[in-house]
Amino acid sequence: MIVGLIVNPVAGLGGAVALKGSDGPDVQARALELGAVPRARARAAAALRALHARRPEAVVRTVAGPMGEDSALAAGVRYELAHRPAGPGTGAADTRAAVAALGTVDLLLFAGGDGTARDVLDAGPRPPVLGVPAGVKVYSGCFAVSPAAAGAAAAAFDGRTAEAEVVDLDEDAHRAGGLGARLYGTLRVPAGRARLSGRKTGSSAAPPGSAESIARAVVAAMRPGTAYALGPGATTLAVGRALGLELTPLGVDVVRDGAVLARDVTEQRLLTLAMSQVTHGVLSVIGGQGFVIGRGNQQFSPRVLDALAGIVVLATQQKLAALGGRPLLVDSGDPLADAALAGHVRVVTGHRESVLYRIQSASEELP
């Protein structure tokens, strides 16, 4: 079995530093100035380790340097080079060129986010593909739920495929508060859907007033002198409206005693606040995927999760029902932090309404 690997080395840079994406060299440079740490290489290496543990005979064919070779070296797997980038920097053209160079593999893994998925789609890949989630935005259905799940799915691939959607947000509109995603096309992925995240869906199916009902419950439970870090999402925006506050649509704002304490915080700022006072995280569930941590809210890093006094999870009853019994998922990048949250969590579904729901690490073995 020959598995191709392409890594977007700048994927995910903008998440923890509140830039809401990583597209474009200016944003990437700004993210590094703010202290962002690249994570795509390590996440691709985790996928390769999971693949190698199940299929040690598999050969990895990849791209020189940070676009794949570095991850293969970190994972300690056998690999061969099929392409070298034209220059030291990497961009969409480099991804497309790499897809063309790896056209004869049995399965093509790519590590990145929705922007990388679009670049792969534009290149018209001949083999089926599978995304290793490493970006800020991972809303497309062509991604595995975690790097480990990507490796496991690659190892189990038997040639059967299905179509999965590629969606993306306009990052400039995203930063300005636009919430819509656009469908760009479909890619062939391994047919076993259990380890795939599925496409993000919105809350349009929820009855009118559902988010407001949840918001009233959250506000009623807020304690004087306690800080609450409100993650991104339409439901948490409703909490802001119930408080009479205008929140950052796709950022993390911290409120206390009915006022904004800190707006659009970075991971470092959130950590400082959580270590200095009692702070709870308020997080909404991503529709269709079930993620609570790790998709668009990278400010809630493992060290922030450890410093929080607790988390409050919000979801409409319709959003939970649409999961069909699948668990809520956590993908912070640290298996120990994810495991600490595993078990059951109380999910606020309305005013004086809540349910206990199973939550687990996205890296936990799935059927």
Side-chain angles (χ1 to χ4, degrees), residues 3 69 98 113 122 137 142 154 162 183 213 227 229 238 253 294 302 319-320 356:
V3 177
E69 182 182 16
D122 290 344
K137 313 179 306 298
C142 56
L183 173 65
S213 177
D253 296 325
K319 190 176 284 188
L320 292 181
L356 280 177

Side-chain angles (χ1 to χ4, degrees), residues 211-222 348-353:
E212 284 68 24
S213 177
I214 293 172
R216 289 199 302 273
V218 173
V219 171
M222 287 182 169
V348 179
T349 58
H351 186 53
R352 297 180 180 174
E353 295 178 353

Side-chain angles (χ1 to χ4, degrees), residues 185-221:
T186 61
L187 288 167
R188 286 190 303 129
V189 299
R193 302 306 293 263
R195 294 186 175 96
L196 270 66
S197 63
R199 177 186 173 183
K200 175 188 182 296
T201 60
S203 303
S204 57
S210 296
E212 284 68 24
S213 177
I214 293 172
R216 289 199 302 273
V218 173
V219 171

Side-chain angles (χ1 to χ4, degrees), residues 225-227 254-256 261 272-280 307-309:
T226 298
V254 182
V255 302
R256 186 182 63 194
L261 180 63
T272 300
L273 289 169
M275 293 181 68
S276 64
Q277 60 193 293
V278 177
T279 305
H280 293 263
L308 291 174

